[in-house]
Amino acid sequence: MDITVLGAHNCESETTRLTCLLIGSSLAIDAGALTSSLSFSAQQHLKGVLLTHQHYDHIRDIPTLAMNFALRGKVLNLYSTLPVYEVLSRYLLDGTLYPKFLELPPHNPAIRFTQLESGKTEHIEGYSVLPIGVNHAVPSVGYQITSRDGKVVFYTGDTGPGLEECWQYLTPQLLISELTFPDRYEDFISQSGHLTPKLLKGELLTFRKLKGYLPRVVAVHLDPGLEEEIRAEVASVAKELGISIELAYEGMKLHL
């Protein structure tokens, strides 16, 4: 399984993009950096996009991607939960901000939406996909992706602490976890559903207690202005736990 980090951050600039992953060339997770990272040709290779939740930085590129597909007579498959569909249909693709690509073109709409349920495995573009509810400010799911050859990655999406129940269903070799701010922001972000290095450490200790091992960890959704502070704290956590915890970056290639 080959994974490309298209966007690794929570804020966008000339050098940073919003969180977005590409599995192989045909399946994406979240849409913060799809059209800004991929050529028109690469966009046409996409078959499906998994969305974790409805916050703008995770769904932003869906309208422009839909336009690219509509103009070429192609269909993009979106997969997520009902709250995400409601936001897309009522706001982003409502006919006011952008065309109703869930309905247009009439004969062959550019977007086909499939509703997912937490805890129910679906087979999508050659992968087994298990959505699992996580703790965020709005209903949100992470995704465990399993390839045909048994490689397993879990992407948390945006989440705060309290993942013990989530861990029970997972067996990843690679954990791609959100990690937004350094420890001094703990009181603030624990209420909004995010993680610091200290909070991530607690979740990893719970994982190890339940599963008997720790996977390789890659952190995304980083605040770029605080990244060096995060890096120093993560290095301390990784050393204490005896594992690899890497900070993701745009264009990072991961292989399982």
Side-chain angles (χ1 to χ4, degrees):
M1 185 190 302
D2 294 305
I3 303 166
T4 304
V5 179
L6 300 181
H9 293 87
N10 69 338
C11 295
E12 187 177 60
S13 71
E14 182 181 8
T15 58
T16 63
R17 294 192 180 102
L18 301 175
T19 305
C20 182
L21 305 175
L22 183 64
I23 313 293
S25 61
S26 62
L27 183 64
I29 312 181
D30 280 335
L34 280 177
T35 54
S36 59
S37 299
L38 299 177
S39 67
F40 286 119
S41 175
Q43 289 175 42
Q44 295 301 303
H45 283 97
L46 288 172
K47 302 296 183 183
V49 180
L50 305 168
L51 300 173
T52 58
H53 65 292
Q54 64 264 39
H55 280 159
Y56 183 70
D57 58 324
H58 294 260
I59 64 173
R60 188 193 66 175
D61 284 359
I62 294 303
T64 49
L65 189 61
M67 176 68 80
N68 293 343
F69 273 62
L71 292 174
R72 289 158 180 80
K74 299 190 68 175
V75 176
L76 177 68
N77 290 294
L78 293 187
Y79 304 87
S80 193
T81 57
L82 181 59
V84 173
Y85 174 83
E86 291 174 341
V87 167
L88 288 173
S89 60
R90 291 180 184 178
Y91 301 105
L92 281 191
L93 302 175
D94 64 342
T96 299
L97 286 183
Y98 232 60
K100 296 182 177 181
F101 284 124
L102 288 158
E103 303 173 7
L104 299 172
H107 61 286
N108 191 33
I111 291 181
R112 181 185 299 119
F113 189 93
T114 299
Q115 184 178 336
L116 302 179
E117 296 180 22
S118 178
K120 183 178 179 181
T121 298
E122 300 285 350
H123 297 283
I124 299 172
E125 301 305 326
Y127 299 94
S128 292
V129 177
L130 175 63
I132 292 290
V134 295
N135 296 319
H136 192 42
V138 297
S140 186
V141 294
Y143 289 104
Q144 178 165 273
I145 313 294
T146 304
S147 65
R148 289 191 179 100
D149 61 353
K151 305 301 183 183
V152 185
V153 59
F154 180 66
Y155 167 57
T156 66
D158 286 4
T159 186
L163 296 172
E164 181 173 359
E165 183 176 352
C166 172
W167 295 150
Q168 296 181 43
Y169 301 97
L170 307 176
T171 55
Q173 297 148 351
L174 171 65
L175 171 64
I176 301 177
S177 175
E178 89 113 75
L179 183 59
T180 305
F181 291 122
D183 290 338
R184 61 190 172 95
Y185 286 81
E186 180 177 335
D187 290 343
F188 166 68
I189 69 167
S190 61
Q191 299 176 17
S192 58
H194 293 290
L195 293 175
T196 67
K198 178 182 176 182
L199 293 173
L200 176 61
K201 173 186 170 183
E203 300 308 310
L204 292 175
L205 287 171
T206 300
F207 184 100
R208 185 167 65 184
K209 181 179 179 181
L210 287 170
K211 312 300 288 192
Y213 78 101
L214 284 175
R216 175 188 177 190
V217 180
V218 173
V220 296
H221 203 260
L222 307 160
D223 187 285
L226 301 167
E227 195 162 343
E228 290 311 307
E229 189 176 350
I230 295 170
R231 188 183 306 278
E233 293 176 353
V234 163
S236 178
V237 171
K239 182 178 180 180
E240 185 174 347
L241 296 180
I243 62 169
S244 169
I245 305 178
E246 304 166 80
L247 300 192
Y249 55 87
E250 282 68 23
M252 184 181 195
K253 303 286 187 180
L254 303 167
H255 178 73
L256 285 175

